[in-house]
Amino acid sequence: FHQQSCNHVIFNHLIEKESGKISDDSCLPQKMKNNTLNLCLLSLILLALACKNETETAAENNPMPADTTTRNGNGNGDTASLQTLLKKYDPPGRDIWQKPELIIQKMGDLSGKTVADIGAGSGFFSRRLTEYAGKVIAIEIDPRLVHFMDSVKQVALSPELQTRFETRLASSNNSMLKPGEADYAIILNTFIYFKNRQEYLKHLLEVLPEGGRVLIVDFKKKRIPIKYPPANIRLELFEVENELLAAGFKNITSDDCSLDYQYIVIAEK
């Protein structure tokens, strides 16, 4: 197979497998199941989820969708909708304008700590965190995305990092975290979609240990090339700070300069 043909066949196979249309890999040729296949698939995944086009053009043509933490997955095995969701969830250029490594750096030393990624989506951020944290819990309410993350980690992460990566199916008002289980809760591109933000923050306050932290990254309420979410549903930075204070968090630090399109807020229990 040429690499492009291999990528096309395997990507469609992975999506159909996760949607329930096929149950195993028996329909793939044997030569596509070896280590070369894994490298080919990994290349495809990285290309599909984080193409490096020009940031502004990519942002205009591929707006961010509403996060799946506020809507239940349809669970009907719709391959086309899953493909569409994955492409929209991680538009080309996200790794450029969101600067995940910079955000992780701001979180401080994560060695031996457990980080809960609430609204993990495709696992874009969760997989990166495994290189720094002791454990990462990727939390989603859409079972299709949970299954997708479980499949992708097999080829995108080394065996060692796979042991640090856990997915968890939750509900829109409950992270399913046990008290003290996570040292850090992060909410990227998601906070504005919570049905009851105050209740969810209070829930996190209950399950985080003393000194635990929550990090929120969301879009600035100003004119930016990214058209979704629309400005009228975004939150001003001071609104996020006030809601964290009202929920009981303290030591709030904010940064609206490091990222062009988003602000970063960190608060402590």
Side-chain angles (χ1 to χ4, degrees):
F1 288 93
H2 293 294
Q3 182 173 352
Q4 183 175 2
S5 298
C6 176
N7 288 344
H8 178 73
V9 171
I10 298 172
F11 182 68
N12 285 337
H13 174 81
L14 178 59
I15 296 297
E16 290 183 357
K17 183 177 179 182
E18 292 308 313
S19 67
K21 290 188 175 182
I22 57 177
S23 59
D24 55 36
D25 297 327
S26 59
C27 59
L28 287 178
Q30 181 61 37
K31 66 192 319 182
M32 295 179 67
K33 300 178 186 176
N34 55 22
N35 291 334
T36 303
L37 164 62
N38 289 344
L39 293 176
C40 180
L41 178 54
L42 176 56
S43 174
L44 168 66
I45 292 167
L46 296 177
L47 185 63
L49 299 182
C51 300
K52 292 182 179 290
N53 293 339
E54 287 190 9
T55 303
E56 292 191 2
T57 301
E60 291 179 324
N61 294 334
N62 298 273
M64 289 290 291
D67 197 277
T68 54
T69 51
T70 62
R71 62 176 185 270
N72 289 320
N74 56 27
N76 63 4
D78 186 343
T79 301
S81 66
L82 178 58
Q83 279 185 303
T84 301
L85 179 61
L86 290 170
K87 289 177 181 178
K88 287 183 177 180
Y89 207 96
D90 299 318
R94 179 181 175 184
D95 57 337
I96 299 175
W97 52 257
Q98 192 164 63
K99 303 177 183 178
E101 281 70 27
L102 183 149
I103 294 174
I104 293 173
Q105 183 180 29
K106 287 185 173 295
M107 295 173 67
D109 184 11
L110 298 176
S111 302
K113 294 183 178 180
T114 297
V115 180
D117 185 0
I118 300 172
S122 67
F124 171 90
F125 210 88
S126 300
R127 289 192 300 275
R128 287 165 168 79
L129 277 169
T130 59
E131 298 183 22
Y132 303 89
K135 181 180 180 180
V136 178
I137 306 174
I139 298 173
E140 255 300 338
I141 71 167
D142 189 331
R144 298 170 302 164
L145 290 172
V146 171
H147 295 156
F148 181 81
M149 287 189 285
D150 283 334
S151 295
V152 171
K153 77 175 184 180
Q154 302 296 327
V155 292
L157 298 178
S158 68
E160 178 186 354
L161 295 185
Q162 287 180 39
T163 63
R164 304 182 191 176
F165 187 97
E166 176 188 331
T167 56
R168 185 168 301 178
L169 187 64
S171 66
S172 60
N173 59 2
N174 191 331
S175 67
M176 303 305 291
L177 288 170
K178 301 173 184 176
E181 183 178 15
D183 304 288
Y184 229 121
I186 64 172
I187 308 171
L188 280 73
N189 309 339
T190 304
F191 188 62
I192 62 175
Y193 298 112
F194 287 155
K195 294 176 181 178
N196 191 322
R197 296 191 299 272
Q198 274 294 295
E199 289 303 313
Y200 205 96
L201 288 176
K202 290 178 181 179
H203 159 68
L204 291 179
L205 195 69
E206 291 177 358
V207 298
L208 286 172
E210 199 66 32
R213 294 181 177 182
V214 59
L215 174 144
I216 297 174
V217 178
D218 227 312
F219 293 93
K220 298 175 182 178
K221 194 166 186 174
K222 58 186 264 186
R223 183 176 298 176
I224 57 177
I226 295 178
K227 297 178 181 178
Y228 200 94
N232 66 303
I233 69 169
R234 299 176 202 158
L235 293 172
E236 294 279 8
L237 174 57
F238 76 87
E239 294 181 275
V240 177
E241 294 170 334
N242 287 344
E243 291 188 12
L244 284 163
L245 282 172
F249 285 93
K250 61 184 181 181
N251 299 334
I252 298 173
T253 58
S254 303
D255 179 359
D256 62 351
C257 298
S258 294
L259 304 180
D260 293 332
Y261 307 146
Q262 298 183 298
Y263 47 72
I264 305 169
V265 187
I266 299 176
E268 184 178 320
K269 177 176 177 177

